[in-house]
């Protein structure tokens, strides 16, 4: 009761009651006049009770009116607060675009002439048509790294403005960091491709941030309703699948959803699940392929190559599962597991043979990579001088400064560095000048094609001449035939690797191989 009297409604009741008392007293004071009036009206039947009832009625009316006004204000306030909260929840605070929650509630704009209701004369309702475009920026992480989050935010704001300029208002959504969705209702299929190209063109135009011209790319996947799904969410999911396909083709690509893309995504999801389990179970193992000193014929080391035999007993190609590990962030766990095992295995090899280990391009972007490797060396006791890290050319283009710093850290720790698959990536010659390598590995594609192919032979000769003049050792990969071996022996190449010497083999076979090689050489 005390609480009620303290709040606004209670106070109003007290006020109204107070006014009622005053009114009642006033009526009482003038009761003579009032009674005279009432007697005239009701022929002498009225008395004080009637007056009190009138007063009470008037007071109740005043109170109700006040309450109604108050409740209206309160409801208005609540509605405004709800609208604000709803807007915050359904819009991105940076770009002000609606977000994925807004998309869940999004209703396609009415087709002209109310088509989506019942088509005139037709019994079936006409299903609305729309195309959903999923857009993902290419190279946004680099902008963020270079210009900081503020620069990244400015770029996202500009990109969202450009996308919004191409589509209808409230039909462009920001789904996540650098992911956008645009819905185009009633777009004819022949215009979709053009629209996807327009999106890419518009987003990839340079943006000036702090006077610096900056650029990102865009990948676009799209799907249409009702052909690819009966609900907007279903169609958006499919456009995402198409986006995934576009991304896999490189930067600034677009793709329309096709059923086989969905199957590919399902297979990949399965592969990812299996890979996670394989890493947990430690069922991916390092195998070892011999590296032969071509001048002496001696075994000088092994290259560790990841091997995964899946539940069906089939070997999954390393390039396949390593790509998935890179995309899903599993690569570090896999790498640490394999390197630790390989270092332990290398410790049991009799002679102090070299252990060559591949590092993927994604790992080069990991600033902690040198310390991870050094920790494993310290834990397993393998001397750094026995480890050689193989880096492919593609790993050097993402962030060349970071790659150069990482390579320097390897050198100062005493770890050797080899440039793998030389001749297959980009700008090989500039990389040789910029980064410090101990060795280059000529890619097997040159070796397989050079016999009888004048051009390949000349390229191989040029690579060998270049590495000699730069004082770099050379390994030739993929030697399978005696003619190839004879040629590289004649060219003064340092190390050979290939099926002619041996394929990648498990640790026990590698130990046997080393013993056997020694025996054969001793017998010669
Ligand atoms: P890579 O580092 O260039 O390894 C050499 C590849 O050539 C291996 O394929 C090897 O089996 C194959 N090879 C060697 N000699 C011959 C030959 O005479 N003829 C033919 N046709 N092929 C030969 P593999 O094991 O399938 O590995 C493919 C690639 O996968 C590797 O190329 C490497 O880039 C990557 N990879 C393998 N294991 C790992 C790993 O543990 N970590 C990382 N990051 N990458 C790995
Ligand atoms: Mg390699
Ligand atoms: Mg290679």
């Amino acid at each position: 009761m005390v609480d009620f009297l303290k709040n606004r409604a209670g106070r109003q009741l007290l006020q109204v009651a107070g006014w009622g008392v005053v009114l009642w007293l006033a009526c009482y004071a003038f009761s003579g006049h009032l009674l005279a009036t009432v007697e005239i009206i009701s022929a002498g039947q009225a008395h004080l009770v009637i007056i009190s009832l009138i007063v009470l009625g008037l007071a109740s009316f005043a109170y109700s009116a006040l309450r109604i006004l108050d409740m209206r204000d309160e409801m208005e306030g609540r509605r405004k607060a709800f609208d604000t909260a709803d807007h915050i929840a359904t819009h991105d605070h940076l770009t002000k675009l609606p977000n994925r929650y807004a998309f869940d509630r999004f209703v396609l704009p009415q087709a002209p002439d109310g088509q989506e209701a019942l088509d005139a004369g037709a019994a079936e309702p006409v299903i609305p048509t729309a195309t959903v475009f999923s857009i993902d920026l290419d190279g946004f992480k680099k902008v963020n790294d270079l210009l900081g989050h503020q620069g990244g935010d400015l770029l996202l704001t500009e990109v969202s403005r450009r996308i919004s300029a191409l589509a209808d208002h409230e039909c462009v959504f920001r789904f996540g960091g650098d992911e956008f969705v645009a819905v185009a209702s009633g777009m004819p299929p022949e215009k979709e491709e053009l629209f996807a190209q327009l999106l890419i063109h518009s987003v990839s135009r340079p943006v000036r941030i702090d006077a610096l011209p900056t650029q990102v790319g865009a990948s676009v996947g799209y799907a249409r309703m009702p052909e690819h799904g009966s609900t907007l969410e279903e169609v958006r999911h499919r456009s995402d699948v198409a986006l995934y396909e576009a991304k896999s083709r490189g930067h600034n690509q677009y793709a329309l959803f096709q059923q086989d893309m969905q199957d590919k995504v399902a297979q990949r999801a399965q592969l990812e699940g299996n890979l996670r389990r394989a890493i947990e179970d430690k069922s991916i193992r390092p195998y070892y392929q011999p590296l032969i000193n071509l001048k002496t014929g001696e075994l000088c080391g092994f290259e560790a190559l990841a091997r995964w035999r899946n539940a069906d007993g089939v070997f999954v190609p390393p390039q396949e599962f390593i790509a998935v590990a890179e995309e899903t962030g599993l690569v570090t766990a896999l790498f640490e597991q394999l390197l630790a095992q390989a270092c332990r295995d290398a410790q049991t090899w009799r002679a102090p043979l070299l252990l060559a280990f591949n590092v993927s391009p994604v790992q080069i972007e990991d600033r902690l990579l040198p310390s991870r490797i050094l920790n494993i060396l310290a834990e397993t006791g393998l001397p750094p001088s026995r480890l050689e890290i193989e880096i492919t050319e593609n790993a050097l283009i993402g962030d060349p400064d970071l790659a150069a710093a990482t390579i320097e850290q390897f050198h100062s720790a005493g770890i050797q560095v080899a440039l793998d698959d030389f001749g297959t990536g980009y700008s090989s010659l500039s990389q040789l000048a910029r980064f410090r390598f101990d060795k280059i590995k000529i890619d097997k594609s040159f070796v397989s094609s050079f016999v009888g192919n004048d051009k390949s032979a000349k390229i191989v000769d040029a690579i060998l001449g270049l590495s000699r003049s730069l004082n770099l050792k050379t390994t030739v990969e993929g030697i399978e035939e005696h003619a190839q071996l004879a040629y590289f022996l004649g060219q003064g190449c340092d190390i050979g690797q290939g099926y002619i010497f041996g394929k990648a083999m498990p640790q026990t076979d590698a130990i046997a191989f080393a013993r056997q090689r020694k025996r054969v050489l001793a017998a010669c």
Side-chain angles (χ1 to χ4, degrees), residues 280-336:
E280 269 165 33
D281 306 344
K282 296 198 164 74
S283 51
I284 302 176
R285 312 286 303 171
Y287 273 40
Y288 303 99
Q289 186 175 29
L291 298 164
I292 304 294
N293 181 331
L294 291 184
K295 294 192 174 116
T296 62
E298 283 172 3
L299 175 72
C300 55
F302 287 103
E303 175 176 2
L305 293 162
R307 290 292 179 265
W308 174 23
R309 198 198 285 263
N310 69 13
D312 306 327
V314 178
F315 280 105
V316 185
Q319 269 150 337
E320 213 171 278
F321 67 80
I322 284 164
V324 177
E326 284 180 339
E327 277 173 41
T328 51
L330 292 168
V331 75
T332 301
L334 176 63
F335 163 80
E336 289 186 334

Side-chain angles (χ1 to χ4, degrees), residues 390 420-421 441 443 477:
E390 295 192 4
D420 202 0
D421 302 344
K441 294 187 77 174
D443 189 65
E477 299 180 329

Side-chain angles (χ1 to χ4, degrees), residues 429-498:
L429 296 179
S430 65
Q431 284 169 347
L432 282 182
R434 179 161 188 185
F435 304 96
R436 194 149 68 89
F437 295 106
D438 299 287
K439 195 181 279 170
I440 55 178
K441 294 187 77 174
I442 301 174
D443 189 65
K444 56 182 176 294
S445 58
F446 291 108
V447 180
S448 58
S449 63
F450 96 100
V451 181
N453 181 334
D454 217 28
K455 262 192 190 159
S456 288
K458 278 185 180 146
I459 292 174
V460 169
D461 285 350
I463 297 174
L464 289 173
L466 188 71
S467 51
R468 251 194 304 272
S469 53
L470 289 172
N471 224 1
L472 295 171
K473 284 195 169 173
T474 41
T475 299
V476 183
E477 299 180 329
I479 306 178
E480 293 183 1
E481 295 162 11
H482 287 284
Q484 294 165 343
L485 177 60
Y487 177 80
F488 287 106
L489 275 172
Q491 291 295 317
C493 197
D494 301 293
I495 295 157
Q497 177 180 5

Side-chain angles (χ1 to χ4, degrees), residues 333-413:
L334 176 63
F335 163 80
E336 289 186 334
Q337 203 175 90
L338 286 173
L339 180 63
Q341 185 57 51
C343 289
R344 279 193 291 272
D345 287 348
Q347 286 284 61
T348 67
W349 300 338
R350 269 219 194 135
L353 299 169
L354 192 75
L355 169 67
F357 204 91
N358 294 284
V359 162
S360 73
V362 168
Q363 290 177 269
I364 291 291
E365 290 179 3
D366 173 11
R367 287 174 195 275
L368 297 177
L369 180 69
S371 62
R372 289 185 205 282
I373 294 178
L374 290 175
N375 282 346
I376 292 172
L377 288 176
E379 271 166 31
T380 56
L382 189 80
S385 58
R386 285 190 55 197
L387 181 66
E388 181 173 83
I389 293 294
E390 295 192 4
I391 299 172
T392 55
E393 291 166 295
N394 300 348
L396 307 171
I397 44 175
D399 187 343
D401 293 332
L402 178 62
T406 304
I407 290 172
E408 275 318 307
Q409 286 185 61
F410 290 151
H411 283 304
S412 37

Side-chain angles (χ1 to χ4, degrees), residues 57-116:
L58 285 171
S60 306
F61 176 75
Y63 180 68
S64 309
L66 279 172
R67 292 303 310 136
I68 286 168
L69 285 174
D70 224 34
M71 276 166 75
R72 201 198 58 188
D73 286 351
E74 207 173 303
M75 278 168 72
E76 182 69 12
R78 277 191 197 179
R79 197 183 55 76
K80 277 190 185 149
F82 178 80
D83 286 351
T84 312
D86 189 62
H87 192 270
I88 292 170
T90 55
H91 285 75
D92 170 44
H93 71 101
L94 175 71
T95 60
K96 312 285 179 267
L97 288 177
N99 60 17
R100 63 171 69 233
Y101 301 107
F103 183 87
D104 292 343
R105 291 197 221 150
F106 180 70
V107 179
L108 281 171
Q110 298 262 314
D113 310 327
Q115 263 180 353
E116 67 289 306

Side-chain angles (χ1 to χ4, degrees), residues 166-212:
L166 296 174
D168 288 340
H169 180 62
E170 287 287 305
C171 289
V172 177
F173 303 80
R174 183 180 176 205
F175 258 58
D178 60 352
E179 281 172 60
F180 297 86
V181 167
V183 180
S185 52
M187 179 176 272
E190 63 276 13
K191 288 202 177 149
E192 290 165 344
E193 190 174 351
L194 195 69
F195 188 71
Q197 288 168 345
L198 217 63
L199 281 169
I200 294 172
H201 178 74
S202 169
V203 171
S204 56
R205 270 188 300 122
V207 183
R208 284 194 92 76
I209 295 171
D210 295 338
L212 279 175

